[in-house]
Amino acid sequence: HAFMHANLTPFEIAPQTTAIKDQPLFLEAELNKFLSDYSSFEESMLQPLEDSLVLKGLTDEAILQLIEHIQLKPGAVEAVNFLLDELPHVSLRVISLNWSSHMIQRLLAARLRPNRNEQESDLFGGDRFTVHANELQGLTDNGISTGWIDKKVTGPLHKATVFHDLHSKSNTSSNSCCNSSVAAASSVFIGDSLGDLAALLAADLGIVIGHSSTLRRV
């Protein structure tokens, strides 16, 4: 299985850097402090959003109208559809700090399968393609948001933990149904922001896309 993050797009490989002999590529303590501070900042942004009640009363109909204005990165639809259609052994996980996993599912179902007789439940009904994000309370149960958020993925470190747990669970499931001697699956994480840095480093292969000069510099 390979674990893929959202916003897939064709990418260019950054020039390889050569580490100075006996010198680490990065200082782990400083990096952990940076990620911890950045995670705290991301988490702190959710409270003002809740306090403003700007998301209160949001309905599924409003979600459908909203996603019409959201643009995916070029090549994202083609890349994900290729993985779904041509590589059945690959599992896809979208891990996001977004405030609504329901909105992400609505968006992906509309863009990935616009001309197919396939329901959203068909696309996300199993364990192969799943979305892991926060969720507006009341939206999926009662069809209308209370404005409060069920916090499930709140920052970069939390995102990396979710990524690790999903990958470990996948390997455990594979070994329980198959020969336990089968090698562990490789994990791939694709990210485009500082919020993805911890998960990028945790993956067997981390791929940076987009134009975030800060992420590339870090």
Side-chain angles (χ1 to χ4, degrees):
H1 303 279
F3 285 72
M4 315 296 286
H5 181 56
N7 295 336
L8 295 173
T9 186
F11 58 90
E12 61 180 29
I13 300 176
Q16 184 176 3
T17 57
T18 302
I20 300 175
K21 186 177 181 179
D22 299 327
Q23 291 294 321
L25 288 175
F26 56 83
L27 300 177
E28 185 174 358
E30 284 77 359
L31 178 63
N32 287 337
K33 183 180 185 307
F34 168 77
L35 290 174
S36 178
D37 291 344
Y38 191 77
S39 291
S40 297
F41 170 77
E42 287 280 2
E43 292 167 14
S44 70
M45 292 297 97
L46 289 176
Q47 191 61 51
L49 184 62
E50 289 182 310
D51 292 342
S52 70
L53 295 180
V54 68
L55 299 176
K56 183 177 181 180
L58 194 66
T59 64
D60 189 58
E61 181 179 355
I63 289 287
L64 292 175
Q65 294 176 355
L66 177 62
I67 65 176
E68 292 180 1
H69 304 283
I70 298 177
Q71 297 295 321
L72 296 178
K73 290 185 179 296
V77 170
E78 294 79 3
V80 175
N81 275 331
F82 174 81
L83 292 169
L84 290 173
D85 296 336
E86 305 298 333
L87 300 176
H89 60 287
V90 173
S91 297
L92 290 89
R93 310 283 184 247
V94 177
I95 308 173
S96 175
L97 302 180
N98 188 276
W99 39 264
S100 176
S101 59
H102 178 67
M103 185 186 75
I104 295 174
Q105 288 188 357
R106 285 290 204 186
L107 171 64
L108 292 176
R111 302 296 170 79
L112 295 175
R113 300 299 200 237
N115 301 316
R116 303 190 190 188
N117 186 23
E118 187 173 7
Q119 301 298 317
E120 182 177 330
S121 58
D122 297 326
L123 190 60
F124 298 103
D127 189 50
R128 187 183 172 211
F129 191 13
T130 56
V131 175
H132 306 268
N134 304 301
E135 189 56 87
L136 289 171
Q137 294 180 9
L139 183 60
T140 56
D141 297 329
N142 304 316
I144 186 169
S145 166
T146 65
W148 298 99
I149 301 172
D150 283 331
K151 303 175 183 66
K152 300 177 181 179
V153 187
T154 57
L157 292 178
H158 195 184
K159 181 182 285 191
T161 299
V162 172
F163 175 76
H164 177 270
D165 291 346
L166 288 169
H167 184 48
S168 298
K169 179 181 177 182
S170 177
N171 278 330
T172 301
S173 299
S174 297
N175 289 334
S176 65
C177 68
C178 309
N179 189 335
S180 60
S181 64
V182 174
S186 296
S187 62
V188 179
F189 192 94
I190 301 175
D192 64 353
S193 70
L194 279 178
D196 298 318
L197 180 57
L200 284 164
L201 294 172
D204 294 316
L205 175 62
I207 300 174
V208 175
I209 62 173
H211 303 286
S212 174
S213 58
T214 304
L215 177 59
R216 291 179 179 274
R217 186 167 61 251
V218 172

